[in-house]
Amino acid sequence: VQLVESGGGLVQPGGSLRLSCAASEFTFDDYAMAWVRQAPGKGLEWVSIISWNGVATYYAKSMEGRFTISRDNTKNTLYLQINSLKSEDTAVYYCAKGSHAQAMAVMLDYWGQGTHVLVSS
């Protein structure tokens, strides 16, 4: 399993970013996929999860409205669109593979190396 995130960087408050996660070495559309983040000096925080076919999506309560998870199974790629970025969104964002196809009751068994997002003026 290989998961490679990209799309992070420095962005001003109020801006937007789209993070990508390129997946390989497994059958991408057999599994749910998720995003998890870790802010500086803090623990891991689950962001969102999407089912194998993109039909079911779930978000952490604090992420609803500004975050959109999606996937393109033809490209083996997971996405996270973040709008109206705030300083508290500064974190390393990881994509992770689910242990099965559905987005409920799933464990995250493989993780990428993360992409850094810094929200600052």
Side-chain angles (χ1 to χ4, degrees), residues 4-88:
V4 180
E5 301 93 335
S6 62
L10 173 64
V11 62
Q12 292 189 341
S16 298
L17 274 179
R18 188 175 81 156
L19 307 181
S20 300
C21 173
S24 61
E25 307 295 328
F26 69 103
T27 306
F28 183 69
D29 55 7
D30 276 353
Y31 296 94
M33 297 292 296
W35 288 98
V36 180
R37 72 182 185 182
Q38 186 169 29
K42 298 196 175 179
L44 293 171
E45 180 181 28
W46 174 72
V47 174
S48 182
I49 191 165
I50 187 168
S51 63
W52 68 278
N53 58 1
V55 170
T57 58
Y58 301 95
Y59 299 89
K61 196 70 174 175
S62 60
M63 315 292 176
E64 289 178 352
R66 295 192 300 116
F67 290 68
T68 304
I69 191 171
S70 62
R71 65 190 295 162
D72 185 340
N73 287 347
T74 67
K75 297 181 179 179
N76 288 354
T77 302
L78 175 72
Y79 301 102
L80 184 68
Q81 176 74 35
I82 314 173
N83 297 326
S84 303
L85 278 153
K86 306 175 182 180
S87 58
E88 51 263 45

